[in-house]
Amino acid sequence: QVQLVESGGGLVQAGGSLRLSCAASGRTFSSYAMGWFRQALGKEREFVAAISWSGGNTYYLESVKGRFTCSRDNAKNTMYLQMNSLKPEDTAVYYCAADPNTIPTMESEIGPLGSWGQGTQVTVSS
């Protein structure tokens, strides 16, 4: 399995931007489709964005379309989530996830050969 470490979270005012990174190690990064999920306090974890193995296809939660951009650099073994025009409702712990077989748009699609990162907190103040 690949090991994943997120970074880049923090506190930002509404309307601001953050870029999250997800660094992978241990396996061939390009053999994994990747995704971002988030979990707000008291809520279930939800899908945010996903990207195919080569980066040619991306998928987004409707409420982040046009504001968030998911990308990956297979040479650097890293996936990114550029978040612009942040809103207080974007406040959550953000997790990256990997799966070798499926582009993960649901939590249940991370199978036994997949991995999760430990999460990074994003807080957007009003």
Side-chain angles (χ1 to χ4, degrees), residues 37 46-50 59-60 102-110:
F37 294 77
E46 67 174 352
F47 164 76
V48 176
Y59 307 85
Y60 297 96
T102 304
I103 300 173
T105 60
M106 293 189 297
E107 189 173 355
S108 61
E109 290 177 335
I110 304 300

Side-chain angles (χ1 to χ4, degrees), residues 28-90:
T28 305
F29 181 61
S30 60
S31 65
Y32 289 83
M34 302 291 296
W36 288 101
F37 294 77
R38 68 186 180 187
Q39 186 168 21
L41 195 62
K43 296 186 177 181
E44 293 188 351
R45 189 153 52 183
E46 67 174 352
F47 164 76
V48 176
I51 191 165
S52 60
W53 294 261
S54 66
N57 293 291
T58 52
Y59 307 85
Y60 297 96
L61 177 69
E62 191 64 34
S63 62
V64 308
K65 283 182 180 177
R67 300 190 298 122
F68 290 12
T69 302
C70 182
S71 61
R72 65 190 295 166
D73 185 337
N74 285 346
K76 294 183 178 180
N77 294 341
T78 303
M79 175 180 64
Y80 305 98
L81 186 67
Q82 178 67 44
M83 305 186 295
N84 299 328
S85 303
L86 282 161
K87 303 176 181 181
E89 51 264 43
D90 295 318

